[in-house]
């Protein structure tokens, strides 16, 4: 407070004496007045003076205004005036009338007043509690005041809010306010609150900030929205940038899928307002935040896969190939696509399949490379295309092979109708534009990165230099251009072409002894390198000397001594004789000491302010860091140490071969184990299916048995007679009671038949006796008596015959019933024989017994038929005798008369 009074006293043009007295009186009225209206009017007057007399009001009125906030919370109007006054005192935003030389002093005033206000942490807590008031005149100035405090002293205010109970949660409620002014200023407040504070960023994210912000962006029209969309996107960047926890939460919450509609911009040329360009630029940057190469590899990979699965990558490629897209949006889209596909095989394969909407269609990679080697294109666009090509080839051996294959003789289109990626790179490599040379060399070096196979394949590339001359290899042409130096008139940097070619050659020869042999086979290469290194040139050429030293060192370190004239020891002797070992190491150190080396080593993206700064590639800086030490050691090693090292290398190679052999064996065994596991799993499945089938069949058999038992109970079958054959007869579900009952009924029928037969025999004998007695009778009386007796016997015989007929009929019915039961038993036997496999012996027993029953039934039926025939014959003979008796009696009567 004393400091502020001193500042005020030192001002040459302070407030008038009457104004100072007025402010003092108003402060006294605020402090001492008992009427609320008087205090309210005094605070309103202070508010009107606070903009012009900011220092005086701040010094005298701040404590009184804070007291008003504490004591008069019931009156929203006076609270609103007090908050507005404090905002005018602390904020630096309305300093339009202040002279330039006093602007810094005004900014200091804001930070000084902010320090006074937050010195008591209760003041910030009080302000947070006031934000819970729904009244517009309290909430809106409260939001603006807290935002101003955060802008002045952000870290201190953030810490106070962080330790305040429910402090962040109260501020999150502002996003749900139905009044757009408060909601929009709430977004600005959260921007200031979340800046560079990971703890608050996490709390805000877990308070459902992503959902609310994405809803606001969607309601405002996505990329077609206004400044509110821009503010929401900046807040989302604050929450996600360099915050792995929030990035994972954003991905797990499926919010990446909600980003796809942002990029549905269509092909129209007339919809690109300045605000839309800004919004889309921020949206693309937000995508890059999620897939940045500086993020943990696992998090980046999962986000890349999610972007491909939801169609976001496809949408970005649509913008990439669309017409009428502004240059800065196109450049940022290329950079975004680059990082979405970087190191992700699925995304890289998809990008390789994208075609530009041309006639005939061309691959997107070819169209982009055409822009990269075209010197009329903007520099930032060419850098973006180079970055996209690098990301496409990053950890993508398949893509590297496809690019190199377009340079090989067997795949070049002889008709010339289509331009391949390899042809464009060669064209850029040997053009007269130094920037195109550098970009093409770096792009080709990325096609060889960590891929020994493609390094060997590239040795096969032959170039036709001029008509009538034999073709030369690509490696030889690169060294030829390198040796020409500045003799060729080029546009751009003097050393850019040579630096690009040297980086390409260093990448090509590293870890590839065959390429080293091809390079040394040209007798002019080593003298050229030693001559370049030995010369004393200016600072600009020192970098070229360092790269030549690196290339010569690679030729020594990866030399397999296949060329007798350029063995390791001879090359080291040459260096010591013509250059000197110390001088060679010093020149080698020029690379890492260059001012642009450290800049290139920080980020993979080639981001340069101008073409002159485009010297080093990020991946090449890694190679230098890896090889600088080992080359230094190799130069100082003696021949004996080299021999020992060679022996160690051979031993290591043998061990590597053994390890490789065992790895292959293990891989084969793993494949066999995998096949066996699959077979086991298949057999398990089959076993389970068979067990299920067996279980079903067992249950069906049990059901059939239960059904049969129920039928047996319903039919009332007798279980008393189970003979000695019961064990054999019970097989296949047929009970012995059935066969026993049938046998008993057949025996009973036989007995009845024998009884009837004996009765018929008796009757026949009686009829014969009667006939003989009738024939031999002599007197009439005896004839009459016999006739009367015979008539009675005949009547009795007829009655007995009728009884026999009825018995025969009942037996016929019973026989039919038995046949029906026998047929049912046969059907059951056949049904059970189909569902269950039965042993042959059991089937034979059942068939034998069934045949026996059938035979007996057939015999019984035959006997019954014979019995019927005999009965009919007896009846006919009896009727005939009756007629004879009747015909004889009248004569006898007449004789008697």
């Amino acid at each position: 407070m004393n400091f502020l009074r001193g500042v005020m006293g030192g001002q040459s043009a302070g407030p008038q004496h009457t104004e100072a007295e007025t402010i003092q009186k108003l402060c006294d009225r605020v402090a001492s007045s008992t009427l609320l209206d008087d205090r309210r009017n005094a605070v309103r007057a202070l508010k009107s003076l606070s903009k012009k007399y900011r220092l005086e009001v701040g010094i005298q009125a701040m404590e009184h205004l804070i007291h008003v906030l504490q004591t008069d919370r019931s009156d929203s109007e006076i609270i609103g005036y007090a908050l507005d006054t404090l905002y005018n005192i602390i904020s630096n935003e309305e300093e339009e009338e202040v002279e330039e030389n006093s602007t810094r002093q005004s900014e200091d005033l804001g930070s000084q007043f902010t320090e006074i206000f937050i010195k008591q942490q209760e003041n910030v807590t009080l302000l947070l509690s006031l934000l819970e008031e729904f009244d517009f005149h309290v909430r809106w100035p409260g939001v603006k005041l807290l935002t101003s405090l955060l802008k002045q002293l952000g870290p201190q205010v953030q810490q106070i809010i962080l330790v305040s109970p429910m402090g962040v949660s109260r501020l999150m409620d502002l996003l749900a306010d139905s009044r757009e002014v408060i909601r929009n200023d709430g977004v600005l407040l959260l921007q200031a609150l979340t800046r560079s504070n990971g703890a608050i960023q996490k709390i805000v994210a877990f308070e459902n900030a992503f959902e609310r912000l994405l809803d606001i962006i969607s309601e405002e029209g996505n990329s077609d929205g206004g400044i509110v969309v821009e503010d929401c996107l900046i807040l989302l960047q604050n929450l996600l940038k360099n915050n792995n926890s929030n990035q994972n939460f954003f991905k797990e919450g499926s919010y990446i899928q909600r980003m796809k509609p942002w990029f549905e911009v269509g092909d129209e040329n007339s919809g690109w307002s300045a605000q839309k360009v800004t919004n889309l630029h921020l949206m693309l940057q937000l995508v890059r935040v999620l897939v940045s190469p500086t993020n943990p590899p696992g998090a980046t990979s999962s986000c890349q896969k999610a972007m491909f699965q939801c169609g976001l990558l496809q949408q970005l490629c649509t913008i990439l190939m669309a017409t009428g897209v502004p240059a800065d949006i196109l450049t940022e889209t290329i950079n975004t696509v680059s990082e979405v596909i970087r190191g992700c095989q699925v995304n890289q394969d998809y990008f390789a399949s994208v075609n530009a909407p041309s006639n005939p269609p061309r691959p997107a990679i070819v169209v982009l490379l055409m822009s990269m080697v075209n010197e009329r294109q903007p520099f930032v666009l060419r850098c973006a295309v180079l970055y996209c090509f690098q990301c496409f080839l990053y950890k993508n051996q398949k893509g590297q092979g496809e690019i190199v294959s377009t340079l090989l003789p067997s795949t070049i289109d002889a008709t010339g109708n289509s331009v391949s990626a390899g042809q464009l790179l060669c064209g850029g490599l040997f053009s007269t534009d130094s920037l195109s040379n550098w970009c093409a060399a770096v792009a080709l070096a990325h096609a060889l990165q960590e891929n020994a196979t493609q390094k060997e394949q590239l040795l096969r590339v032959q170039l036709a230099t001029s008509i009538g001359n034999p073709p030369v290899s690509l490696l030889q042409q690169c060294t030829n251009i390198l040796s020409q130096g500045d003799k060729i008139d080029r546009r751009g940097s003097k050393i850019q072409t040579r630096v690009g070619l040297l980086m390409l050659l260093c990448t090509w020869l590293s870890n590839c002894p065959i390429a080293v042999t091809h390079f040394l086979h040209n007798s002019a290469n080593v003298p050229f390198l030693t001559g370049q290194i030995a010369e004393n040139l200016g600072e600009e050429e020192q970098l070229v000397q360092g790269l030549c030293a690196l290339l010569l060192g690679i030729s020594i370190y990866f030399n397999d001594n296949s060329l007798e004239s350029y063995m390791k020891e001879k090359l080291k002797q040459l260096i010591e004789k013509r250059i000197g070992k110390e001088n060679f190491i010093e020149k080698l150190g020029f690379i890492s000491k260059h001012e642009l080396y450290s800049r290139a080593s920080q980020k993979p993206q080639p981001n340069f302010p101008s073409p002159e700064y485009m010297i080093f590639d990020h991946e090449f800086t890694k190679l230098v860091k890896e090889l600088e030490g080992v080359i230094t050691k190799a130069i100082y090693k003696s021949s004996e140490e080299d021999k020992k090292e060679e022996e160690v290398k051979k031993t290591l190679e043998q061990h590597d071969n053994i390890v490789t052999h065992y790895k292959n064996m293990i891989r084969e065994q793993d494949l066999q184990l995998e096949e066996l596991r699959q077979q086991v799993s298949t057999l398990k499945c089959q076993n389970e299916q068979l067990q299920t089938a067996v279980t079903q069949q067992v249950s069906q058999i049990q059901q059939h048995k239960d059904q049969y038992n129920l039928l047996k109970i319903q039919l009332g079958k007798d279980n008393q007679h189970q003979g000695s054959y019961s064990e054999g007869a019970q097989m296949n579900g047929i009970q012995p009671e059935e066969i026993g009952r049938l046998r008993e009924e057949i025996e009973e029928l036989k007995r009845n038949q024998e009884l009837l037969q004996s009765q018929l025999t008796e009757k026949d004998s009686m009829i014969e006796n009667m006939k003989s007695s009738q024939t031999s009778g002599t007197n009439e009386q005896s004839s009459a008596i016999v006739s009367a007796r015979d008539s009675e016997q005949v009547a009795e015989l007829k009655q007995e015959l009728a009884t026999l007929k009825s018995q025969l009929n009942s037996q016929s019915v019973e026989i039919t019933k038995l046949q029906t039961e026998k047929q049912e038993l046969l059907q059951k036997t056949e049904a059970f024989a189909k569902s269950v496999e039965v042993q042959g012996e059991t089937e034979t027993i059942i068939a034998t017994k069934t045949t026996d029953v059938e035979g007996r039934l057939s015999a019984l039926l035959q006997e019954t038929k014979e019995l019927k025939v005999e009965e009919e014959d007896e009846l006919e003979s009896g009727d005939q005798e009756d007629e004879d008796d009747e015909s004889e009696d009248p004569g006898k009567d007449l004789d008697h008369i």
Side-chain angles (χ1 to χ4, degrees):
M1 189 72 73
N2 294 331
F3 168 79
L4 293 174
R5 286 197 180 95
V7 172
M8 175 191 168
Q11 285 181 334
S12 59
Q16 297 295 326
H17 183 65
T18 55
E19 270 38 348
E21 291 180 352
T22 302
I23 293 171
Q24 184 62 47
K25 288 179 181 180
L26 291 173
C27 291
D28 292 340
R29 189 187 300 177
V30 172
S32 61
S33 179
T34 57
L35 294 176
L36 181 60
D37 290 341
D38 290 344
R39 295 199 302 277
R40 186 188 304 119
N41 292 331
V43 174
R44 183 166 58 241
L46 287 171
K47 174 189 171 184
S48 62
L49 294 171
S50 60
K51 291 184 179 179
K52 188 174 182 179
Y53 304 107
R54 177 183 176 191
L55 178 61
E56 186 67 15
V57 173
I59 292 172
Q60 298 191 40
M62 181 174 284
E63 292 183 1
H64 301 296
L65 293 172
I66 293 172
H67 184 70
V68 168
L69 296 179
Q70 294 172 342
T71 57
D72 291 329
R73 291 190 60 170
S74 59
D75 185 70
S76 60
E77 192 173 357
I78 191 173
I79 295 293
Y81 293 148
L83 291 171
D84 282 333
T85 306
L86 289 170
Y87 173 73
N88 292 336
I89 294 169
I90 291 171
S91 176
N92 294 324
E93 293 180 358
E94 300 185 11
E95 296 290 339
E96 297 177 359
E97 299 179 1
V98 179
E99 298 179 1
E100 292 182 1
N101 56 3
S102 62
T103 302
R104 185 174 299 174
Q105 184 179 357
S106 299
E107 292 176 356
D108 291 340
L109 277 178
S111 61
Q112 291 289 339
F113 283 129
T114 301
E115 188 174 357
I116 293 170
F117 184 84
I118 68 172
K119 189 174 183 180
Q120 299 293 327
Q121 294 188 8
E122 294 81 6
N123 295 338
V124 179
T125 307
L126 174 63
L127 183 56
L128 290 172
S129 65
L130 289 172
L131 291 178
E132 294 181 349
E133 298 290 337
F134 189 73
D135 194 301
F136 181 81
H137 298 289
V138 176
R139 203 171 213 189
W140 189 39
V143 170
K144 293 195 294 182
L145 175 58
L146 187 55
T147 304
S148 182
L149 292 172
L150 285 164
K151 288 180 178 178
Q152 296 292 344
L153 293 174
Q156 294 90 323
V157 180
Q158 286 174 340
Q159 193 60 32
I160 296 172
I161 294 174
L162 190 60
V163 299
S164 175
M166 299 296 292
V168 178
S169 300
R170 293 172 183 173
L171 300 180
M172 286 300 300
D173 293 337
L174 298 173
L175 294 181
D177 201 302
S178 58
R179 295 159 293 192
E180 289 189 3
V181 176
I182 295 178
R183 184 199 69 184
N184 297 344
D185 282 351
V187 173
L188 296 175
L189 169 60
L190 289 171
Q191 278 184 24
L193 179 66
T194 56
R195 190 171 290 117
S196 302
N197 192 307
I200 292 180
Q201 290 168 1
K202 291 179 183 178
I203 296 173
V204 171
F206 282 94
E207 287 285 346
N208 208 22
F210 293 140
E211 184 77 29
R212 296 182 185 181
L213 291 172
L214 292 172
D215 288 341
I216 294 172
I217 292 172
S218 179
E219 291 168 5
E220 294 291 327
N222 294 326
S223 60
D224 294 320
I227 190 71
V228 179
V229 173
E230 179 182 348
D231 294 335
C232 290
L233 291 169
I234 293 172
L235 177 54
L236 283 171
Q237 283 194 19
N238 287 352
L239 295 175
L240 292 172
K241 196 168 185 178
N242 299 322
N243 193 317
N244 299 329
S245 174
N246 283 2
Q247 289 174 9
N248 187 56
F249 181 68
F250 191 85
K251 180 187 70 69
E252 295 296 335
S254 300
Y255 296 119
I256 291 177
Q257 288 82 338
R258 297 187 59 178
M259 298 170 73
K260 183 186 175 184
W262 295 356
F263 304 102
E264 294 174 356
V265 295
D267 244 350
E268 68 277 1
N269 297 327
S270 60
W272 294 96
S273 63
Q275 186 62 56
K276 180 173 183 177
V277 171
T278 302
N279 290 344
L280 202 56
H281 202 272
L282 288 169
M283 290 171 177
L284 291 168
Q285 287 181 346
L286 192 62
V287 175
R288 293 185 65 185
V289 165
L290 295 171
V291 293
S292 172
T294 59
N295 294 342
T300 299
S301 176
S302 59
C303 289
Q304 287 172 332
K305 291 176 182 176
M307 289 177 183
F308 174 75
Q309 290 168 356
C310 74
L312 179 58
L313 175 59
Q314 293 84 330
Q315 199 66 43
L316 291 173
C317 290
T318 303
I319 298 176
L320 196 66
M321 295 291 107
T323 57
V325 180
D328 54 346
I329 293 298
L330 181 59
T331 302
E332 190 63 24
T333 303
I334 294 172
N335 288 326
T336 305
V337 171
S338 304
E339 294 184 350
V340 172
I341 67 174
R342 186 176 189 268
C344 181
Q345 188 66 52
V346 176
N347 294 4
Q348 289 168 337
D349 291 343
Y350 170 77
F351 184 70
S353 67
V354 175
N355 288 323
S358 60
N359 191 15
R362 288 177 174 173
I365 297 172
V366 172
V367 176
L368 292 174
L369 287 177
M370 292 172 70
S371 300
M372 186 186 75
V373 298
N374 186 353
E375 56 185 301
R376 291 191 296 271
Q377 293 292 341
F379 172 67
V380 290
L381 179 63
R382 298 174 75 180
C383 291
V385 173
L386 175 61
Y387 184 45
C388 185
F389 192 74
Q390 291 174 349
C391 291
F392 169 68
L393 297 177
Y394 182 71
K395 293 184 178 179
N396 183 10
Q397 294 194 352
K398 178 183 176 183
Q400 290 174 325
E402 291 173 354
I403 296 298
V404 172
S405 67
T406 59
L407 286 165
L408 299 178
S410 59
T411 57
I412 294 176
D413 186 6
T415 62
N417 293 329
S418 61
V419 181
S420 67
Q423 290 171 328
L424 288 170
L425 290 176
C426 282
L429 193 63
F430 307 127
S431 72
T432 55
D433 177 33
S434 61
L435 184 59
S436 296
N437 300 153
W438 191 91
C439 290
V442 170
L444 199 54
H446 277 262
L448 307 175
Q449 199 76 39
E450 297 180 359
N451 195 330
T453 304
Q454 302 311 322
K455 290 177 182 179
E456 295 176 9
Q457 287 293 319
L458 201 62
L459 295 172
R460 297 170 50 203
V461 176
Q462 300 290 320
L463 302 175
T465 54
S466 60
I467 300 175
N469 292 330
V472 297
S473 67
L474 177 61
L475 182 64
Q476 182 62 45
Q477 185 66 12
C478 289
T479 55
N480 291 342
I481 295 174
L482 190 62
S483 61
Q484 292 173 2
D486 295 333
K487 295 178 183 178
I488 301 175
D489 186 18
R490 299 181 187 278
R491 294 179 296 277
S493 173
K494 293 181 179 179
I495 65 169
Q496 203 167 37
T497 299
R498 286 181 288 163
V499 169
L501 289 171
L502 285 167
M503 287 194 297
L504 171 60
L505 291 172
C506 289
T507 305
W508 194 347
L509 269 60
S510 62
N511 293 294
C512 186
I514 298 175
V516 171
T517 302
H518 278 256
F519 178 77
L520 296 176
H521 196 270
N522 187 350
S523 58
N525 289 338
V526 173
F528 167 74
L529 292 178
T530 54
Q532 287 286 313
I533 299 168
E535 289 184 15
N536 292 322
L537 303 173
E539 291 184 2
E540 195 175 32
E541 296 291 331
Q542 286 182 349
L543 178 58
V544 177
Q545 288 183 314
L547 291 170
C548 288
L550 179 64
L551 182 57
L552 186 56
I554 290 172
S555 301
I556 294 173
Y557 185 72
F558 294 103
N559 193 338
D560 59 358
N561 293 326
S562 58
L563 292 176
E564 187 177 353
S565 56
Y566 291 109
M567 296 177 69
K568 284 185 178 182
E569 190 60 32
K570 290 184 178 181
L571 287 173
K572 286 193 287 187
Q573 291 174 1
L574 184 65
I575 288 174
E576 188 172 5
K577 181 179 178 182
R578 296 191 180 181
I579 304 170
K581 291 183 179 179
E582 290 78 8
N583 191 24
F584 179 85
I585 300 303
E586 182 183 359
K587 298 292 177 69
L588 183 62
F590 285 163
I591 302 173
S592 57
K593 292 177 183 177
H594 198 277
E595 57 181 351
L596 297 178
Y597 175 87
S598 59
R599 181 171 182 172
S601 63
Q602 292 173 1
K603 292 183 179 179
Q605 182 181 0
N607 189 11
F608 306 103
S610 63
E612 291 76 19
Y613 291 89
M614 209 168 189
I615 299 297
F616 286 108
D617 173 57
H618 176 75
E619 292 297 327
F620 180 73
T621 60
K622 291 183 180 179
L623 183 67
V624 172
K625 188 176 180 180
E626 177 186 346
L627 295 179
E628 187 176 6
V630 296
I631 289 174
T632 303
K633 291 180 181 178
I635 294 298
Y636 282 110
K637 281 181 182 176
S638 63
S639 58
E640 294 180 357
E641 291 176 341
D642 280 339
K643 289 180 181 178
K644 289 181 179 179
E645 186 177 353
E646 287 295 329
E647 292 177 358
V648 171
K649 279 187 177 180
K650 288 181 180 179
T651 306
L652 290 174
E653 286 178 359
Q654 291 176 357
H655 285 298
D656 289 340
N657 292 333
I658 294 171
V659 170
T660 305
H661 174 67
Y662 281 114
K663 282 183 177 179
N664 293 332
M665 286 180 61
I666 291 170
R667 193 176 295 110
E668 292 175 359
Q669 290 176 355
D670 286 341
L671 292 174
Q672 293 175 359
L673 283 173
E674 187 63 30
E675 291 177 359
L676 291 172
R677 286 194 186 100
Q678 292 177 357
Q679 291 178 4
V680 168
S681 61
T682 305
L683 291 173
K684 281 184 178 179
C685 293
Q686 292 178 356
N687 186 28
E688 290 175 358
Q689 292 174 359
L690 291 173
Q691 285 183 350
T692 305
V694 168
T695 305
Q696 290 176 353
Q697 288 185 355
V698 169
S699 63
Q700 288 177 0
I701 291 169
Q702 187 62 40
Q703 288 176 1
H704 287 311
K705 285 184 178 181
D706 295 341
Q707 289 175 2
Y708 172 75
N709 290 331
L710 288 173
L711 289 172
K712 185 182 71 174
I713 293 169
Q714 289 173 0
L715 293 173
K717 294 176 181 178
D718 192 8
N719 297 324
Q720 292 180 358
H721 302 284
Q722 298 180 357
S724 60
Y725 55 87
S726 60
E727 293 180 0
Q730 196 171 355
M731 292 184 181
N732 200 21
I734 298 178
Q735 300 295 329
E737 295 87 350
E738 301 285 338
I739 298 171
R741 186 172 61 80
L742 288 173
R743 286 177 175 173
E744 289 177 0
E745 290 177 356
I746 290 168
E747 293 294 331
E748 186 177 356
L749 288 173
K750 282 184 177 182
R751 287 194 297 272
N752 291 335
Q753 187 179 6
E754 290 175 356
L755 181 61
L756 289 172
Q757 190 68 34
S758 62
Q759 291 178 355
L760 283 173
T761 306
E762 290 177 1
K763 298 302 179 186
D764 287 339
S765 63
M766 288 176 65
I767 290 169
E768 292 294 330
N769 293 332
M770 288 171 62
K771 283 181 180 181
S772 61
S773 62
Q774 286 177 356
T775 305
S776 61
T778 54
N779 53 43
E780 294 176 358
Q781 187 176 1
S782 60
S783 298
I785 294 169
V786 171
S787 176
R789 189 183 301 161
D790 289 339
S791 60
E792 290 176 2
Q793 289 180 352
V794 168
E796 289 177 2
L797 286 172
K798 285 182 177 181
Q799 188 174 357
E800 287 180 2
L801 283 171
T803 304
L804 288 171
K805 282 183 178 181
S806 63
Q807 288 179 357
L808 285 171
N809 289 333
S810 62
Q811 286 178 355
S812 298
V813 171
E814 226 173 330
I815 289 168
T816 304
K817 184 179 178 182
L818 287 171
Q819 286 178 338
T820 304
E821 289 183 1
K822 172 210 164 194
Q823 193 65 29
E824 290 177 357
L825 286 171
L826 288 173
Q827 290 176 355
K828 289 180 183 180
T829 304
E830 290 175 359
F832 276 86
K834 290 180 181 179
S835 60
V836 184
E837 293 183 0
V838 183
Q839 296 178 358
E841 294 180 1
T842 306
E843 291 179 354
T844 306
I845 293 169
I846 292 170
T848 304
K849 293 192 180 290
T850 305
T851 306
D852 187 18
V853 173
E854 287 179 353
R856 293 184 182 183
L857 283 173
S858 299
L860 180 60
L861 287 173
Q862 186 65 32
E863 290 176 359
T864 305
K865 286 180 182 179
E866 292 176 357
L867 183 60
K868 284 183 179 180
V869 172
E870 290 177 0
E871 286 178 354
E872 290 174 359
D873 293 341
E874 289 176 359
L875 287 173
E876 289 177 1
S877 61
D879 291 339
Q880 186 65 35
E881 288 176 359
D882 290 340
E883 289 175 0
D884 293 339
D885 291 341
E886 290 175 359
S887 63
E888 290 175 357
D889 287 344
K892 291 178 180 179
D893 292 337
L894 287 173
D895 293 335
H896 179 69
I897 292 170

